[in-house]
């Protein structure tokens, strides 16, 4: 099928403004009379504030007010809750006397300038009675984390699964995987501007959130305001990767605006982002898998422990999500899943790109690669014996995974990467040298929406203006990866007009219908389909009116480049603009379509990643040599942006595996590297060529056949890289990160073991 | 103290506290918000501007250091609304996603091409290593800089 705009590398809609520095992010906004807010954070991991002295701060000229647990609403909430009816533990307040981690909020200053606010914060004095900090899940579990929270300090999920693991036959294989605290490092630090007008009791909030309605719901419930008095507008987002999903800054800035009656900006520094928003969960997992003599899986038992940090927020749901993703790749007749989410006196864990999918893949794929080594089998072969066929049903939550071309992904990848040739070349490498190379791979799927979970709808209004240009109203939250241009391209394709003529502003509670926001990689599959259907409805309306204008039947008409024409007599034509004026003059209807799409499917995009890595055995440093990502995307609506997603997934995966970790002092719980000087991410010089291959077997329901890609591409990265390192070193490492100290220690251990057997 | 410097080609003279950071001066006093703050300590490159044609982190430069020097920001790149060659290359190569790193990336690229009009891929990657992008994996950015360098060499100006 030849498309005009779909499948083309179209730059993101606002890239010219971005290239000129003209696009305004939240931190670039300036409202007259705007004040600046700075937080006063707990210096201890656990304690009770005995007394708080803010008098010196208040006395500083230019300081307008100080907020603390003494003068702000004592409403407990869950920062991850999008709708008030969602069940989730309420443990957090705007400010707290009981401080639960280094970085917990005690108070905040609002002042005329950011510098003054910062200075005033340093004048606040808190007398804190220290409590014993529980810094690890082990410490917390020993007392059910009761000193941290009276309730829900530890959440144990009921057993999840099907079949009966105990009675499954076969050789049992156990494996262990753990991973560390990681920060999202979206380049834009969090920022919210809130403006409150006391006379009319109206609040407007500008914020780079993934859910304007979630932010509104949190503000309404904490400040006790009618939702109709609150307007939340999404600002351009400088990346999220999950870090702008939970409601952290919005209620704080709104509260300060309400107290002062003036606009307030709350902008986090990089350290505050790392400490006071969310991190990727530290994970500990033990898996047992039984294999038949043919090396097919007969059963799986997994237990996971997530360190939720000081507040549960979304962690129980996260633990649950790992289980859902267990039966999406391999055919596993018996599954038993246990999970516990434990609060500790550490920074809060929360959503991170993939919502449990990367954790699930890390555990499963590490296990599969280790099993392949144990069985002396090729890891691709082991997978081929176990993968689900197309249109398999997820046995854990009972829905079709769609055309799921796992086998294609494996075979195409094996070929394209030259897997066998590389294997042979590496088998001949000189193992006594300083540098050792290895290859590894991993397989994964992900979601394209929430389905079969409820709450996954998309409502769209599409209207045509008198000049034939189009305005779309939909609750879109572009994270910066280009959804808006893809949506505009969808409208443009249906109507055959330039994407430039389509306006599609982002989330705004004043205009959009209720929507949960952009999570779970749902935007393209759910909102994209809603936009596609609505555009088709508008086209029908155009044809109905165009047929009146041209004196023919609607079905006689075709459309191209902003005009309708009689298919058999192309000279009989009228432009969309002429139709728009015709409709306006008629005065009986508007070129306006409102449509709600409720998905009935949720295909898993298949992904196979392949890596070659070189390890410097002297320094323990690893270097990426080659990388191939094979992705079933249904249809690459904008291949350049899909490749961008894969590149960013690799950038983050390299960090997760080799260098990123927010380290806490084991005694005090204080972060030791909460800044970019000490927290390292992959840079341009750390990359080599990334090869991306798309499989485009259209999904039946997705717009133009598309499935998700944004999170799916992050899911298999880490296990593929780990496998390559293990292949290079002939080791079984599965505790992240594989940073130089860990690699050198493993090599030294191996050396000692070798010496022990060969005296 | 009165500080005289050239900003985007125009001489300016302002009363500034010498210890203020250049990024704050640009963003607050001149409403030039193209330079972004992401780390505040010279590690991410989002705040990159040119100082006498060399890429610097504006979060590490102080107002007192500006006397007699020339500062170019991302806002000074386009002429009469026409994007400059590097800016165009970034747009065309889809090297811009969330865009938060973009102004800094473009200024670092500009600084590189002023020093070295014909950089190898490795030289580009090293020159951009002070600029973090979390959205792209750098491939499109490197391609954009390579292409911009080629186009600039063709027209004979870097
Ligand atoms: S903000 Fe200046 S280098 Fe990061
Ligand atoms: S485009 Fe988002 S950080 Fe580079």
């Amino acid at each position: 099928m030849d498309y005009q705009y779909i499948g083309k590398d179209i730059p993101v809609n606002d890239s010219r403004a971005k290239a000129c520095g003209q696009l305004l992010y939240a931190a670039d906004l300036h409202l007259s009379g705007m004040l600046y807010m700075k937080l006063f954070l707990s210096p201890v991991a656990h304690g009770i504030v005995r007394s708080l002295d803010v008098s010196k701060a208040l006395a500083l000229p230019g300081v307008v007010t100080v907020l603390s647990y003494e003068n702000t609403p004592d409403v407990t909430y869950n920062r991850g809750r999008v709708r008030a009816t969602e069940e989730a533990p309420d443990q957090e307040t705007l400010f707290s006397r009981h401080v639960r981690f280094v970085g917990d909020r005690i108070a905040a200053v609002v002042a005329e300038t950011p510098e003054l606010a910062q200075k005033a914060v340093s004048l606040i004095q808190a007398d804190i009675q220290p409590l014993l900090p529980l810094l690890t899940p082990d410490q917390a579990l020993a007392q059910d984390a009761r000193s941290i929270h009276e309730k829900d300090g530890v959440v144990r999920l009921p057993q999840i699964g099907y079949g009966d693991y105990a009675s499954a036959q076969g050789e049992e294989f156990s494996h262990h995987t753990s991973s560390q605290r990681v920060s999202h490092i979206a380049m834009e630090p969090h920022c919210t501007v809130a403006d409150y007008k006391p006379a009319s009791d109206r609040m407007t909030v500008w914020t780079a959130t993934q859910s304007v309605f979630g932010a509104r719901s949190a503000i309404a419930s904490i400040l006790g305001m009618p939702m109709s008095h609150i307007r939340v507008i999404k600002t351009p987002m400088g990346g999220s990767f999950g870090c702008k999903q939970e409601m952290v800054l919005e209620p704080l800035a709104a509260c300060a605006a309400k107290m002062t009656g003036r606009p307030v900006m709350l902008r986090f520094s990089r350290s505050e982002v790392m400490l006071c928003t969310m991190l990727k969960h530290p994970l500990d997992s033990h898996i047992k898998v039984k294999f038949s003599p043919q090396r097919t899986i007969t059963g799986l038992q997994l237990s996971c422990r997530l360190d939720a940090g000081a507040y549960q927020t979304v962690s129980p749901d996260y633990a649950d999500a790992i289980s859902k993703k267990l039966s999406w790749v391999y055919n596993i007749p018996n599954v038993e899943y246990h999970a516990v989410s434990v609060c500790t006196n550490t920074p809060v864990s929360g959503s991170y790109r993939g919502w449990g999918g990367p954790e699930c893949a890390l555990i499963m794929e590490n296990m599969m690669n280790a099993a392949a080594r144990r069985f002396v089998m090729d890891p691709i072969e082991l997978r081929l014996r176990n993968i689900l066929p197309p249109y398999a049903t997820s046995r854990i939550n009972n829905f079709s995974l769609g055309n799921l071309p796992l086998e294609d992904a494996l075979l195409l990848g094996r070929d394209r990467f030259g897997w066998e040739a590389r294997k042979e070349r590496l088998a001949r490498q000189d193992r006594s040298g300083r540098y050792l190379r290895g290859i590894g791979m991993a397989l994964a799927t992900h979601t394209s929406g929430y389905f079969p979970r409820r709450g996954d709808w998309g409502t769209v209004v599409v209207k045509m203006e008198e000049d034939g240009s189009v305005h779309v109203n939909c609750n879109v939250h572009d994270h910066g990866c280009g959804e808006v241009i893809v949506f505009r391209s969808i409208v443009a394709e249906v109507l055959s007009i330039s994407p430039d003529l389509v306006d599609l502003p982002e989330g705004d509670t004043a205009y959009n219908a209720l929507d949960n926001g952009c999570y779970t990689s749902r935007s393209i599959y759910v909102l994209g389909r809603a936009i596609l259907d609505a555009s088709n409805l508008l086209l029908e309306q155009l044809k109905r009116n165009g047929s009146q204008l041209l004196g023919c039947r609607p079905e006689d008409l075709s459309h191209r480049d902003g005009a309708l024409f009689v298919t058999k007599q192309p000279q009989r034509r009228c432009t969309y603009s002429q139709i728009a004026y015709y409709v306006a003059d008629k005065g009986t209807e508007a070129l306006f379509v409102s449509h709600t799409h409720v998905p009935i499917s949720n295909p898993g995009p298949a992904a196979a990643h392949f890596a070659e890595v070189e390890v410097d055995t002297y320094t323990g440093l690893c270097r990426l040599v080659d990388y191939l990502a094979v992705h079933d995307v249904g249809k690459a609506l904008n291949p350049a942006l899909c490749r961008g997603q894969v590149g960013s997934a690799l950038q983050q995966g390299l960090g997760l595996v080799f260098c990123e970790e927010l380290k806490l002092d084991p005694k005090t719980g204080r972060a030791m590297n909460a800044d970019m000087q000490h927290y390292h991410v992959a840079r341009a010089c750390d990359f080599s060529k990334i090869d991306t291959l798309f499989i485009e077997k259209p999904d039946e329901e997705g717009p133009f056949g598309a499935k998700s890609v944004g999170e799916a591409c992050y899911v298999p990265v880490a296990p593929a890289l780990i496998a390559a390192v293990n292949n290079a070193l002939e080791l079984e490492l599965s505790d992240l990160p594989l940073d130089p100290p860990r690699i050198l220690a493993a090599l030294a251990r191996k050396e000692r073991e070798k010496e022990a057997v060969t005296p | 103290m009165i500080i005289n410097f050239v900003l985007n080609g125009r001489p300016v003279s302002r009363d500034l506290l010498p210890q203020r950071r250049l990024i704050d001066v640009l963003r607050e006093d001149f409403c030039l918000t193209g330079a972004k703050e992401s780390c505040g300590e010279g590690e991410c490159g989002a705040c990159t501007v040119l100082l006498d044609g060399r890429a610097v982190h504006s979060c590490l430069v102080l107002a007192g250091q500006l006397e007699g020097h020339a500062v170019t920001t991302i806002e000074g790149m386009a002429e009469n609304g026409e994007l400059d060659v590097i800016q165009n290359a970034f747009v065309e190569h889809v090297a811009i996603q969330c865009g938060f790193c973009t102004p800094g990336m473009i200024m670092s690229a500009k600084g590189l091409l002023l020093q070295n009009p014909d950089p190898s891929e490795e030289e580009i990657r090293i020159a951009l290593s002070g600029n973090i992008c979390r959205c792209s994996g750098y491939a499109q950015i490197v391609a954009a800089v390579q292409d911009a360098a080629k186009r600039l060499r063709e027209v004979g100006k870097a």
Side-chain angles (χ1 to χ4, degrees), chain A residues 563-699:
Chain A
L564 294 181
F565 58 92
V566 179
T567 314
K568 294 199 174 120
Q569 293 167 278
Q571 71 282 7
R572 280 175 66 198
R573 65 193 296 278
C574 60
T575 64
Y576 292 166
S577 176
Q578 285 168 324
I579 299 171
Y581 280 113
Y582 167 74
V583 172
D585 290 342
K586 208 170 60 164
T588 52
E589 64 182 299
L591 288 176
F592 178 100
V593 167
S594 166
H595 173 70
T596 296
H597 166 65
V598 182
I600 49 160
S601 53
N602 183 1
H609 285 202
F610 301 80
E612 179 167 345
V613 164
E614 181 177 84
V615 188
D616 180 342
T617 58
Y618 288 11
T619 63
L621 285 167
C622 299
R623 183 176 73 84
L624 185 65
V625 178
D626 251 327
Y627 201 86
L628 167 66
V630 183
H631 269 274
D632 148 45
V633 290
K635 169 77 191 165
L637 300 179
N638 184 321
L641 291 175
C642 293
R643 280 193 293 274
Q645 293 278 5
V646 173
S648 109
L650 184 57
Q651 198 271 356
Q652 289 172 21
L654 283 168
L656 174 68
V657 174
F658 296 124
C659 54
E660 292 185 37
E661 178 174 21
L662 185 75
K663 295 196 177 97
L664 303 182
D665 182 296
K667 286 205 185 69
T668 63
R670 224 166 267 155
M672 303 196 288
N673 58 343
D675 64 33
M676 297 299 292
Q677 215 175 75
H678 303 97
Y679 183 100
H680 301 295
V681 301
R683 292 168 182 269
C685 57
D686 300 324
F687 269 77
S688 55
K689 250 190 17 261
I690 312 168
D691 187 13
T692 312
L693 178 66
F694 295 121
I695 299 175
E696 298 189 285
K697 276 193 180 168
D699 175 75

Side-chain angles (χ1 to χ4, degrees), chain A residues 187, chain B residues 97-99 101 133-135:
Chain A
M187 289 309 287
Chain B
Q97 291 187 49
C98 86
C101 70
C133 176
R134 198 67 157 166
C135 299

Side-chain angles (χ1 to χ4, degrees), chain B residues 23 36-47 57-59:
Chain B
I23 185 169
K36 306 296 179 202
E37 179 162 357
S38 183
C39 72
E41 52 179 359
E43 291 290 335
C44 75
C47 66
H57 295 134
S58 64
C59 68

